[in-house]
Amino acid sequence: MATRGSVKASKNFNATTDAEVLYKAMKGLGTNEDAILELLVGRNNVQRQDIKIAFKTLFGTDLVDKLKGELGGKFETLIVGLMTAPLAYDVSMLRNAIKGAGTDEKVLVEILASRTPQQVKDIVSAYRKEYDDDLEEDISGDTSGHFKRLLVILLQGNKQTGIQQETVDSDAEVLFKAGEQKFGTDEQTFVTILGNRSAEHLRKVFDAYMKLSGYEMEESIKKETSGGLRDLLLAVVKCARSVPAYFAETLYYAMKGLGTDDNTLIRAMVTRSEVDLLDIRTEFRKLFACSLHSMIKGDTGGDYGKALLLLCGGDDA
């Protein structure tokens, strides 16, 4: 599969050699962080999984445990994320979002709005296998109202495919009547339509909605809804328009202003590095007055910053 990721498979890959390099980097006093980050960012996820097997085979110890023992803080979180298979990573992120203190709605929104229906189905079954729990039940027990309903719809992974030409205009009309034309908002209509239609179909609906109402879909959602539901509806709409643009915005707001939302920064960089980070960089440059590279550089430091910049790849200055 052609990928628009910044991380590609290493050409002359040898898992045993890599395992030995990592072992040396962590042996004795002090840790050679540069060697670790350069090697791991220079391999794709499948290769990192092979390195894990080779490491245990050679040294009788778990590579991720060893890395956790040697590294710390945000750098450790990033490296452990890169060492985790993509599906397992999504599953653990959702688990932590639900089982941690309070619900991390941001994680639920980002993952369930941006993944494909098939990916969502895979997440649901992997979650059950890993924790012997039902993801839908866990999320339902932790959320409420129309926010919960839309999450449950997305968890079904049953979005329509393609464009239903005959319902484009009626979808736009129904949304218009449910929001802008009504005193009080009929949230259920937004939830049902935006949760069940394909991205291609929704893009047509947004155009029809704009013609009909004079508003962009996002403007209406901001006016008509609030809280978690608003965030989720906006994420669904943005992902229907462009997943890379959605992540460009996510990354920008993770770093903008005082303090950095490192959890979001790490999650987005790890999960998109082999999917569409090149497109995210392009969208970032279009949307904001700087490149993703320059913003990461200005906002992070140390080995953590170095690793993020390597993940990012080039600077689109």
Side-chain angles (χ1 to χ4, degrees), residues 26-38:
M26 296 186 277
K27 199 169 165 256
L29 280 171
T31 305
N32 183 350
E33 283 90 355
D34 280 350
I36 294 171
L37 68 90
E38 278 166 25

Side-chain angles (χ1 to χ4, degrees), residues 181-284:
Q181 271 201 325
K182 194 172 184 297
F183 183 73
T185 308
D186 173 10
E187 280 115 348
Q188 188 61 55
T189 300
F190 280 82
V191 164
T192 300
I193 292 179
L194 297 177
N196 280 297
R197 307 292 191 264
S198 71
E200 310 91 297
H201 180 86
L202 285 175
R203 288 196 290 273
K204 297 264 188 224
V205 172
F206 302 155
D207 291 343
Y209 185 86
M210 180 72 189
K211 281 200 188 91
L212 186 68
S213 69
Y215 292 108
E216 291 289 8
M217 195 72 240
E218 291 90 333
E219 295 178 85
S220 289
I221 289 169
K222 282 179 186 164
K223 281 198 311 197
E224 304 290 332
T225 61
S226 60
L229 176 63
R230 172 187 162 160
D231 295 340
L232 183 54
L233 285 168
L234 284 173
V236 167
V237 169
K238 284 171 181 173
C239 287
R241 288 195 194 273
S242 160
V243 171
Y246 167 74
F247 277 104
E249 228 176 86
T250 300
L251 284 162
Y252 179 78
Y253 287 109
M255 293 182 277
K256 187 184 180 287
L258 281 171
T260 304
D261 177 355
D262 289 294
N263 288 334
T264 297
L265 177 54
I266 291 168
R267 196 172 56 247
M269 293 297 285
V270 167
T271 56
R272 308 320 289 184
S273 60
E274 285 182 48
V275 182
D276 54 6
L277 196 54
L278 297 177
D279 297 327
I280 291 169
R281 275 171 36 190
T282 305
E283 292 297 330
F284 196 98

Side-chain angles (χ1 to χ4, degrees), residues 169-182:
D169 289 331
S170 62
D171 279 351
E173 258 167 63
V174 169
L175 287 167
F176 183 50
K177 289 200 175 96
E180 293 292 345
Q181 271 201 325
K182 194 172 184 297

